[in-house]
Amino acid sequence: MKLLEGKELYYKYRKDYVLEDVNFKLNSGDFFAITGPNGGGKSTLVKNILGILSPTKGSIDISFEVKNGIDIGYVPQNTNINLEFPITVLDVVMMGNGAKHKSINRVFSFKYSSLEIECAKHSLQKVGMDCFLNSKISNLSGGQRQRVMIARAICSHPKLLILDEPTSSIDVQGQKEIYSLLKKLNETITIVVVTHDLTVISKYANRVLYINRSGYMHDLSNKNFALKDNEHICEVELMQMLGANNG
Amino acid sequence: MADILQYTFIQNALLAALLVSIITGIIGSLISVNKMTFLAGGIAHSSYGGIGLAIYLGLPIFLGASIFAIFSAVLIALISFKQRERVDIFIGLIWAVGMAIGIIFVDLTSGYNVDLMSYLFGSILAVNRDDLIFMFTLMVIVLLFIHLFYREILAVSYDSEYANLRGVKAKGFFVAILVLSALAVVVAIKVVGLILVIALMTIPTYIAELSSNSLYGMMIKASVLSTIFTISGLAISYEFDITSGASIILVSATFLILFLLFKKISTITSRF
Ligand SMILES: Nc1ncnc2c1ncn2[C@@H]1O[C@H](COP(=O)(O)OP(=O)(O)OP(=O)(O)O)[C@@H](O)[C@H]1O
Ligand SMILES: [Mg+2]
């Protein structure tokens, strides 16, 4: 079933187009990778999909299944978050649920119900961070913080999960863990991930969009990318493989 | 010492210290975590334009200051939606222009220069009933705002883009925080004066921030510390007959230095 489709998408911040004729189409259950050079427009595309930005030309169709904002989980690329902010891991994860949560007791909204805490614990468990529930965010390492951001994105049980370079500050072992987590989540939800790691693309993704201002999606599902565990390929090689297969 | 408590102006001053401390503890925390200290400075100084204008027109001073402060706050908010990166230039501009307007209107008002010092350095001993009502109302509004919208405020302050995605009206809350900051600045001017407002907003909140795990805890600590600093500063100023605003700030700064030293020493000794 079609979940998301971008048709002849254009976007500009100022006078030059940053996205120019971008096309892609996802079905639910896809593992969709977006890759491309720095400044290629990956984050801009993600923000267009999320609705933070709206396309200058062209359209993005989102299936009504995920129209509701809460149905999309999002892990931003490094944001300009105040790192000294006095806030606990629990507080951050709870933000994923949205402030409009029905069960909030308005007057004591600074307190969480035991149900909410259970829910936060559950998503932290998935990223291996449940023992940090009450830690102050500023006491965590960059990679640990990134895991918390993933927990925040999955705690509302979204149908679509969009991650913008989620493993850029995570150690090798951690990256493996995160991607096998994503693979597991992919059994029930659609994943969109921005990454430079072509090993990841070849191993997990069934569709890839290489974007350098303009971009077309490639279907990987019927291609053989079986790489050995420690094998790495570079972008040029990927393009050759895609090109070769596209005729 | 106890017998001075019978004077109405002392009672008023103590009450004002408490009310203003609760307001600045909460709003100062929001200003600090949102990294808006410079912005609050701009609002504080621009409100001098309102003070000058009110003196010239013979209006209530705090009405003039409030209107000017709110106007600057909304203006800065609108500019920052358009020009996020360079908003500091416009804050500097509003800061200076507001002061200039104030000075010119005071010049134009013949024979007025005595009381001006009290706006620059505060006049907590001259707080009257109307001021107290103003402060009390603002405190109630601030407390309601925080308790009704704590999650939204936390989400917007921590990561406004994400909060927006989650259905929080981030811009609306940003404007609300700025307008309340403007009013908090105006009441703080009564206690410590224009020049020292930012110190009252930042010193207690900085100590609170370093020792808190949550924004809510930070707000409570900052309010308590602020109350202690203002009341002890007031007592010292009465005892030695010095300007109360300045003595409040010096008490706060001394405490901050001791706190930082203590923190340093305790991290060093914990290594052994
Ligand atoms: N807020 C903005 N205002 C103006 N231009 C922007 C803005 N954000 C990004 N750009 C421009 O848009 C282009 C694409 O940026 P984008 O962040 O989408 O790239 P990216 O592919 O995500 O890069 P990276 O790999 O470094 O994350 C860049 O040339 C950048 O300068
Ligand atoms: Mg990016």
Side-chain angles (χ1 to χ4, degrees):
Chain A
M1 201 192 73
K2 193 183 88 179
L3 192 75
L4 194 64
E5 180 170 15
K7 273 186 284 196
E8 291 165 33
L9 207 65
Y10 286 74
Y11 185 83
K12 57 181 174 188
Y13 288 100
R14 301 215 171 83
K15 71 176 203 298
D16 294 324
Y17 281 108
V18 171
L19 298 179
E20 205 170 279
D21 197 15
V22 175
N23 297 273
F24 60 90
K25 188 169 157 186
L26 303 193
N27 292 330
S28 50
D30 277 345
F31 195 117
F32 180 47
I34 301 173
T35 189
N38 292 135
K42 302 180 295 298
S43 300
T44 306
L45 175 61
V46 161
K47 287 179 184 172
N48 272 279
I49 295 174
L50 287 163
I52 298 172
L53 305 173
S54 12
T56 317
K57 265 198 286 180
S59 67
I60 296 181
D61 292 334
I62 298 186
S63 120
F64 102 105
E65 204 190 340
V66 293
K67 267 268 165 63
N68 189 346
I70 208 92
D71 288 332
I72 305 182
Y74 174 43
V75 179
Q77 200 176 10
N78 65 342
T79 42
N80 30 10
I81 282 174
N82 175 1
L83 291 179
E84 292 299 313
F85 204 107
I87 191 168
T88 60
V89 168
L90 174 64
D91 281 328
V92 173
V93 175
M94 287 310 304
M95 277 174 203
N97 273 333
K100 278 187 186 151
H101 213 260
K102 296 275 183 305
S103 63
I104 295 177
N105 177 346
R106 270 280 154 215
V107 181
F108 292 103
S109 64
F110 55 91
K111 285 207 146 152
Y112 299 115
S113 69
S114 51
L115 194 76
E116 288 178 306
I117 294 174
E118 270 320 300
C119 172
K121 256 191 203 155
H122 190 69
S123 24
L124 281 168
Q125 226 157 25
K126 288 191 180 158
V127 293
M129 289 290 293
D130 44 323
C131 51
F132 292 94
L133 189 71
N134 292 311
S135 307
K136 199 172 169 179
I137 275 280
S138 57
N139 294 338
L140 302 183
S141 75
Q144 289 174 322
R145 233 175 0 248
Q146 190 68 2
R147 286 163 188 253
V148 173
M149 294 303 161
I150 296 174
R152 172 175 79 166
I154 59 179
C155 89
S156 64
H157 304 291
K159 301 206 172 63
L160 171 63
L161 179 58
I162 304 181
L163 308 98
D164 196 346
E165 300 192 28
T167 52
S168 50
S169 54
I170 294 187
D171 55 52
V172 179
Q173 182 57 32
Q175 294 193 12
K176 274 191 182 160
E177 282 167 25
I178 301 258
Y179 279 106
S180 39
L181 169 70
L182 292 185
K183 189 75 204 161
K184 190 143 159 280
L185 289 170
N186 189 219
E187 287 164 13
T188 49
I189 66 183
T190 311
I191 308 264
V192 175
V193 60
V194 176
T195 179
H196 292 290
D197 189 338
L198 297 165
T199 317
V200 164
I201 296 174
S202 61
K203 245 174 140 168
Y204 301 103
N206 68 332
R207 292 165 192 274
V208 62
L209 175 70
Y210 179 85
I211 180 168
N212 189 3
R213 215 162 64 180
S214 62
Y216 281 89
M217 194 187 70
H218 301 270
D219 206 329
L220 300 178
S221 44
N222 48 15
K223 295 189 176 113
N224 192 6
F225 271 130
L227 293 183
K228 291 187 203 80
D229 236 11
N230 296 320
E231 194 175 356
H232 289 274
I233 56 173
C234 72
E235 240 155 56
V236 179
E237 287 169 313
L238 174 83
M239 292 321 287
Q240 277 169 357
M241 290 161 97
L242 293 171
N245 275 289
N246 269 7
Chain B
M1 194 76 187
D3 51 319
I4 68 161
L5 291 175
Q6 70 193 356
Y7 297 116
T8 316
F9 73 96
I10 296 286
Q11 290 167 1
N12 284 351
L14 290 176
L15 197 53
L18 179 66
L19 294 174
V20 169
S21 294
I22 293 171
I23 295 167
T24 55
I26 293 172
I27 297 296
S29 297
L30 285 180
I31 290 175
S32 164
V33 296
N34 279 289
K35 301 205 165 161
M36 305 194 305
T37 307
F38 182 57
L39 205 160
I43 293 173
H45 286 80
S46 74
S47 73
Y48 190 72
I51 293 174
L53 192 62
I55 289 172
Y56 181 73
L57 298 175
L59 293 170
I61 304 280
F62 279 82
L63 181 70
S66 301
I67 290 172
F68 244 71
I70 291 176
F71 176 75
S72 321
V74 172
L75 193 63
I76 291 171
L78 293 181
I79 292 170
S80 75
F81 294 150
K82 290 255 171 256
Q83 286 267 339
R84 181 134 224 155
E85 286 78 24
R86 295 321 332 226
V87 70
D88 53 342
I89 291 174
F90 293 95
I91 295 172
L93 196 68
I94 285 168
W95 181 311
V97 171
M99 288 294 284
I101 292 174
I103 290 167
I104 288 173
F105 274 112
V106 170
D107 281 348
L108 294 178
T109 314
S110 49
Y112 201 98
N113 52 30
V114 195
D115 242 27
L116 220 50
M117 282 298 276
S118 75
Y119 298 107
L120 296 179
F121 295 101
S123 55
I124 193 171
L125 293 175
V127 168
N128 60 32
R129 232 180 87 88
D130 288 348
D131 297 331
L132 287 175
I133 291 172
F134 184 78
M135 290 167 182
F136 182 77
T137 315
L138 181 59
M139 181 195 73
V140 171
I141 292 172
V142 167
L143 286 175
L144 277 177
F145 178 64
I146 290 300
H147 284 92
L148 290 178
F149 301 112
Y150 182 72
R151 289 204 192 179
E152 284 88 344
I153 293 165
L154 181 67
V156 167
S157 304
Y158 184 66
D159 186 348
S160 65
E161 188 177 83
Y162 196 85
N164 226 342
L165 270 178
R166 281 282 166 269
V168 181
K169 300 268 171 286
K171 283 186 180 175
F173 278 99
F174 186 63
V175 172
I177 291 172
L178 279 186
V179 168
L180 287 178
S181 305
L183 291 171
V185 159
V186 171
V187 296
I189 287 176
K190 191 78 194 180
V191 174
V192 291
L194 190 54
I195 311 258
L196 304 175
V197 145
I198 291 308
L200 184 66
M201 292 277 209
T202 51
I203 298 175
T205 52
Y206 182 59
I207 299 171
E209 182 168 346
L210 289 178
S211 57
S212 301
N213 276 344
S214 73
L215 180 59
Y216 197 79
M218 176 180 175
M219 287 170 169
I220 294 175
K221 276 187 200 160
S223 298
V224 170
L225 285 172
S226 185
T227 309
I228 296 171
F229 296 160
T230 41
I231 290 181
S232 41
L234 198 58
I236 291 171
S237 83
Y238 188 85
E239 194 61 36
F240 297 98
D241 195 21
I242 52 180
T243 309
S244 59
S247 108
I248 291 168
I249 298 305
L250 285 185
V251 169
S252 315
T254 310
F255 190 92
L256 174 64
I257 291 165
L258 291 177
F259 174 81
L260 291 176
L261 274 179
F262 181 77
K263 215 170 138 71
K264 191 92 198 157
I265 290 168
S266 63
T267 49
I268 291 172
T269 50
S270 69
R271 281 195 210 135
F272 297 106

